[in-house]
Amino acid sequence: MTLLTVSVDDGLAASVRNEAERHALPVDDYVAAVLRAAQSPSGDEREERARELARLSLAQWEAAGRPEDGAMDMAEVFGR
């Protein structure tokens, strides 16, 4: 694994932190998922990246002791 360090303006940093929090993810996991998604040219790959982000979010959600009752399944999310 490689550690990347980047400089971004304060507004972008705040936006990234807010999105990571909204997805119940640590900032580094959220940024890594976004970077992987940006590299994915095909629809199938983008869908797999979305599924990966969903799995990460679910793991964080469950680790926080939140229930999954009433949540959408992946078929509902992707309309399949």
Side-chain angles (χ1 to χ4, degrees):
M1 185 169 291
T2 299
L3 175 66
L4 296 176
T5 302
V6 298
S7 296
V8 298
D9 66 55
D10 293 339
L12 178 57
S15 177
V16 168
R17 282 192 297 273
N18 288 338
E19 283 301 302
E21 184 177 324
R22 190 171 73 83
H23 289 284
L25 292 171
V27 170
D28 57 340
D29 288 349
Y30 175 77
V31 170
V34 168
L35 292 173
R36 281 190 297 274
Q39 291 181 320
S40 301
S42 77
D44 288 343
E45 289 174 312
R46 282 192 301 275
E47 182 175 322
E48 181 52 36
R49 299 302 183 206
R51 288 178 186 279
E52 181 178 346
L53 183 56
R55 283 190 292 272
L56 289 169
S57 293
L58 177 59
Q60 291 292 324
W61 183 267
E62 289 175 338
R66 298 177 182 141
E68 191 179 343
D69 299 339
M72 294 174 69
D73 66 23
M74 290 302 221
E76 292 173 298
V77 171
F78 290 103
R80 294 187 178 165

